[in-house]
């Protein structure tokens, strides 16, 4: 298919949702206003809301059908497999140099002082810089807070042949082209910044990825996670056993409820009802396509009480989840060996789900979304985040380009001209996003449908020599 066709198809899908966010949230505001002064209007507003939901559902259904009948499904599957094979081969080549004694290396320590999702993102960032500078990544993980013996007992080592940090010359970042071993700090204190940081994807893959995938950076992160998280046999067996025991079955929606220490400091509280309303909407849509024997969710949370609450409040749902208490938020167990299996399992189940409902402010949820991309040609729209849009901690500015002009009509809206670059801060899920207009420096709201994403690229090496 032609790239423009694929971009348009995804754009119509996304903007159908945006239109409904706008109308739905505006009508709900109107209902609140009418409540006191014109209660006779409430019925009419509810009528529009209910019909609107059906319109919206039917449009999304048709656009999804388009993807099924346009004749490109086989191409999408093949292109997805080809791209993945290409990049995985390059990773293997980079990580297993012919001569480890002379190979250029980038050294990272896994032990960033944060949670599992955060540490995975740290390792992915290291891998991006390693791939970009064409250095073999050495991941130091002895004494890992989640597994003292190290990463290699849980996942395959990042290299089969080259794991020693030995070398002729050493330096901290940035070092020189010919420094053999370079130490990379965490992304937060990287100076100078590298051109290979998110949201940049390899330039040589960009044309194919913008055609295939709705959010190429998420594909890129997903491929690195695919390489890093190759499980050891024991890990596979544990996950398999748990999956069978819990009765993991499709269809299934993955729900991640992040509570405890995150709420109140880094993220707002969201009630279970809010998550479940999106799950319900997912199933309402699905039922237009197929018979749903049972509405099913996989529920993951750092707060075990959520699972009990869900089972009580949603008896008509089949609720699958790991009830183990080892994941409780108490600081003593949070980062322990025993909690590692719980979080591996939860992330795996979430990523295997058909759809994700969670808060992108949580790295657990973002990692699941990234891994999910491995299982589909394009799973970029298979989620609903209750707060943030997708981001990568430490990323460069996320810019979008205005494709329609906008005159502010209400307080807080900004002026945009076609072609303006806007650094986006977030989507308010009411039809508007917030951002900073790079041209005018104005900060404000703009209708989300009036922009398109700008895919960032960097000149990563193309590894042409490995095909010689
Ligand atoms: P974030 O704080 O949510 O952005 O993600 P991090 O991964 O950096 O830190 C949160 C930590 O809390 C995780 O690494 C887990 O140890 C724990 N945690 C959070 N949510 C879950 C969950 O759904 N299941 C399990 N097992 N642990 C969780």
């Amino acid at each position: 298919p032609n790239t423009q066709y694929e971009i348009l198809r995804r754009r119509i899908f996304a903007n159908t949702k945006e239109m409904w966010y706008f109308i739905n949230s505006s009508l709900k505001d109107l209902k609140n206003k009418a409540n006191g002064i014109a209660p006779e209007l409430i019925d009419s507003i509810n009528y529009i809301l209910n019909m609107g939901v059906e319109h919206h559902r039917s449009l999304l259904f048709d656009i999804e059908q388009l993807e099924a009948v346009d004749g490109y499904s086989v191409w999408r599957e093949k292109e997805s497999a080809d791209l993945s094979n290409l990049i995985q081969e390059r990773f293997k080549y980079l990580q297993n140099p012919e001569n480890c004694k002379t190979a250029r290396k980038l050294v990272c320590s896994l032990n960033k002082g944060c949670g599992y999702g955060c540490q995975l993102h740290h390792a992915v960032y290291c891998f991006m810089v390693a791939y970009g500078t064409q250095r073999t990544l050495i991941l130091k993980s002895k004494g890992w807070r989640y597994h003292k013996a190290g990463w290699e007992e849980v996942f395959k080592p990042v290299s089969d042949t080259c794991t020693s940090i030995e070398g002729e010359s050493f330096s901290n970042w940035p070092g020189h082209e010919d420094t053999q071993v370079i130490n990379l700090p965490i992304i937060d204190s990287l100076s100078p910044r590298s051109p290979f940081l998110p949201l940049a994807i390899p330039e040589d893959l960009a044309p194919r990825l913008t055609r295939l995938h709705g959010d190429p950076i998420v594909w890129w992160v997903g491929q690195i996670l695919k390489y890093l998280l190759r499980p050891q046999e024991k890990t596979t067996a544990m996950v398999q056993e748990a999956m069978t025991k819990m009765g993991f079955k499709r269809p299934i929606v993955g729900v991640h409820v992040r509570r405890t220490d995150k709420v109140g400091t880094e993220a707002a509280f969201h009630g279970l009802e809010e998550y479940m309303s999106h799950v319900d909407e997912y199933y309402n849509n699905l039922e237009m396509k197929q018979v749903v024997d049972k509405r099913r969710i996989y529920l993951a949370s750092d707060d075990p009480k959520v699972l009990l609450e869900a089972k009580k409040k949603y008896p008509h749902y089949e609720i699958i989840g790991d009830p183990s208490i080892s994941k409780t938020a108490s600081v003593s167990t949070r980062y322990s060996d025993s909690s590692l299996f719980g979080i591996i399992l939860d992330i795996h189940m979430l990523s295997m789900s058909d759809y994700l409902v969670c808060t992108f402010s949580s790295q657990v949820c973002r990692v699941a979304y990234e891994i999910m991309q491995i299982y589909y040609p394009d799973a970029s729209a298979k989620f609903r985040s209750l707060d943030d849009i997708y981001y990568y901690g430490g990323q460069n500015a996320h810019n979008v380009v205005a494709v329609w002009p906008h005159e502010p009509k209400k307080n807080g809206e900004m002026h945009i001209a076609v072609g303006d670059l806007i650094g986006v801060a977030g989507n308010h899920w009411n039809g508007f996003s917030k951002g900073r207009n790079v041209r005018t420096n104005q900060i404000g709201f703009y209708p989300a449908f009036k922009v398109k994403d700008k895919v960032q690229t960097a000149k990563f090496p193309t590894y042409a020599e490995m095909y010689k």
Side-chain angles (χ1 to χ4, degrees), residues 246-353:
M246 284 194 246
F248 188 92
K249 261 191 357 195
R250 295 180 189 283
I252 193 160
V253 174
V255 180
H256 178 238
V257 180
R258 181 73 167 91
R259 294 268 168 84
T260 66
D261 59 319
K262 196 105 178 170
V263 168
T265 53
E266 291 174 65
F269 179 91
H270 293 271
L272 188 60
E273 291 72 14
E274 192 183 342
Y275 292 85
M276 292 307 287
S277 71
H278 297 299
V279 175
D280 271 326
E281 189 47 27
Y282 174 82
Y283 277 115
N284 290 339
N285 287 337
L286 189 66
E287 279 175 350
M288 297 175 72
K289 287 184 253 184
Q290 66 182 70
V291 179
V292 175
D293 61 324
K294 188 84 196 169
R295 293 192 172 202
R296 194 176 293 111
I297 60 170
Y298 183 84
L299 182 60
S301 177
D302 51 337
D303 180 356
K305 286 198 294 295
V306 177
L307 193 60
L308 301 176
E309 179 189 347
K311 287 191 169 164
K312 206 160 132 207
K313 284 187 179 158
Y314 298 91
H316 54 296
Y317 264 87
E318 185 175 328
I319 299 172
I320 302 177
D322 172 14
S324 77
I325 42 158
S326 63
K327 61 179 151 195
T328 40
S330 89
V331 182
S332 58
T333 57
R334 163 66 65 79
Y335 302 120
S336 72
D337 220 304
S338 63
S339 72
L340 177 62
F341 183 62
I343 186 66
I344 289 179
L345 188 64
D346 277 344
I347 288 179
H348 180 70
M349 300 293 212
L350 291 171
S351 73
M352 291 279 287
S353 298

Side-chain angles (χ1 to χ4, degrees), residues 1 14 73 76 116 134 242 245 271 321 330 350 352 358 362 394 404 417 429 459:
S73 310
R76 287 186 194 104
Y116 178 77
Q134 210 160 344
K245 212 155 120 196
S330 89
L350 291 171
M352 291 279 287
C358 56
S362 167
W404 300 111
W429 313 114
K459 278 200 195 316

Side-chain angles (χ1 to χ4, degrees), residues 214-241:
D215 204 350
I217 180 67
V218 189
W219 180 92
W220 176 228
V221 176
Q223 285 299 314
I224 296 175
L225 286 169
K226 179 178 180 175
Y227 183 83
L228 292 176
L229 298 179
R230 289 162 301 139
Q232 290 289 14
E233 284 72 29
K234 215 174 131 201
T235 309
T236 309
M238 271 157 69
V239 170
Q240 286 301 344
E241 195 196 331

